[in-house]
Amino acid sequence: MAHTKINPLEMAREQLRQAAERLKLDPSLHEKLKYPKRTLEVAIPVKMDDGTLRVFEGYRVQHNMDRGPAKGGIRFHPSVDIDEVTALAMWMTWKCAVVRLPYGGAKGGVICDPSKLSQGELERITRRYTSELKLIIGPEKDIPAPDVNTNASIMGWMMDTHSMNMGYSVPGVVTGKPLEVGGSRGRVDATGQGVAYVTEQVCLKLGKPLQGARVAVQGFGNVGSHAARCIHQMGGKVVAVSDVHGGIRNEDGLDIPRLIEQVSKTRSIIGFPGSRECNNEELLTGDCDILVPAALESQITAQNAAAIKASIIVEGANGPTTPEADVILEKRKVVLAPDILANAGGVTVSYFEWVQDIQSYFWEEDEIRSRLKTIMVNAFDEVWSMSQKHKVSLRSAAMMLGVARVAEAAKIRGLYP
Ligand code: NAD
């Protein structure tokens, strides 16, 4: 994988600076939006299976709450650090505003490698971390959700831990939970589904059919696998995918439903019948029409941006493209649907889940899909119009929309005290 570790917080602040400049934003509002409202750093002492004690470090950053309670995922990964979590929290703020959700942005992370932990250890980390966050999370305060290496079972443990601490069931404290404890239909594949809707919209605007388009997807986890499945269902030809172990290609198109079946059994894409292996760099720069980075940040950089062959990039991951790479891609007229728009399907259905939990009334899957599509298509149209009006990239347009909405809320609320 292309890895020059670029500081994501510097990247997020540079994107904010550019949006503020284009919007001629009041400098005092810009100053306020540069900083997270609240950061909690916690030590998580955990008894390991061999009887020893290990202390893990965790964070929760609430970047902004001017539009509503904070919202954002929890990441379990060895490379988590405070700057990464803060950048991800900032991106959540703009993302929620772009799709007009009544939320601010937050993010959480624990420095750990889940592939080296037993289920029991993972559960104990999750429960102690959740307890440490008790002061600042809750349905009206801050609502976590899954992110890299966290899933519905982990959200179930978080919901249970918070409920135990409060003394009553609090389903609305996290989203992305199993259905049985207040989860929503359509949440598991919502981010991938949203990525596919946005891909379809870009193709429609550019007059390039998605039907038959060759697509490469980096990352085959929650976002990547569902994005690949939905794009495959819409007629796109997924020719390459990769995960942390490497990549696979088949110029005739991979049978994505069968690949998902293999991954559910073997946990690996490698060795898929009819495919040849490729590395992650080849995945990014190999032949395709549409590239969907859906793994981690800083993958498309100044080093590889010129070699990318796709004419459309749809960001499933958060922050996969560095600002230097953005400049190169823009010059090359590559159309890039940015993360804060393209992967907003997940937080949108998380919002539906929260609303359903608060009402204790649950919707059918068709209703969720159609509401998700309406929100994604409307947001896409607004970002597209903004980019046409101001002659800027879709990233700049999405940032301008998101930042302007948050700044307006901050201005209306005024400064306390
Ligand atoms: P996940 O843990 O389910 O999957 C991550 C995938 O990336 C896995 O297939 C993993 O093998 C792969 N990967 C990890 N390191 C890699 C590397 N070095 N090279 C290639 N592949 C690598 O995580 P996810 O939830 O799918 O999240 C992926 C991205 O999407 C992250 O940037 C996340 O912040 C973002 N995102 C997730 C959601 C969500 O609802 N889960 C919503 C919006 C954005």
Side-chain angles (χ1 to χ4, degrees), residues 1 75 95 107 146-149 187 191 218-223 242-244 280 294-296 316-318 343:
M1 186 174 233
R75 178 174 294 196
K95 187 184 302 179
K107 204 80 182 189
D147 191 69
V148 174
N149 290 331
R187 174 62 185 89
T191 311
Q218 185 199 38
F220 205 68
N222 177 281
V223 180
S242 71
D243 67 12
V244 69
N280 255 296
L296 296 173
N318 286 308
N343 69 33

Side-chain angles (χ1 to χ4, degrees), residues 239-309:
V239 293
V241 303
S242 71
D243 67 12
V244 69
H245 306 294
I248 55 170
R249 275 193 81 92
N250 180 341
E251 303 312 321
D252 298 327
L254 296 157
D255 181 342
I256 298 296
R258 274 189 57 209
L259 179 60
I260 290 176
E261 228 180 279
Q262 166 176 317
V263 171
S264 72
K265 287 184 195 140
T266 66
R267 308 221 149 270
S268 171
I269 57 171
I270 305 298
F272 186 62
S275 69
R276 70 170 178 83
E277 281 186 35
C278 68
N279 61 30
N280 255 296
E281 202 49 41
E282 199 184 336
L283 183 123
L284 294 172
T285 56
D287 236 354
C288 66
D289 304 306
I290 302 172
L291 174 64
V292 180
L296 296 173
E297 54 268 20
S298 300
Q299 297 305 303
I300 303 176
T301 64
Q303 278 77 47
N304 60 13
I308 283 173
K309 302 207 179 51

Side-chain angles (χ1 to χ4, degrees), residues 88-103:
L88 288 162
M90 273 177 103
W91 288 324
M92 283 308 298
T93 303
W94 320 134
K95 187 184 302 179
C96 291
V98 166
V99 282
R100 295 183 183 274
L101 304 181
Y103 286 139

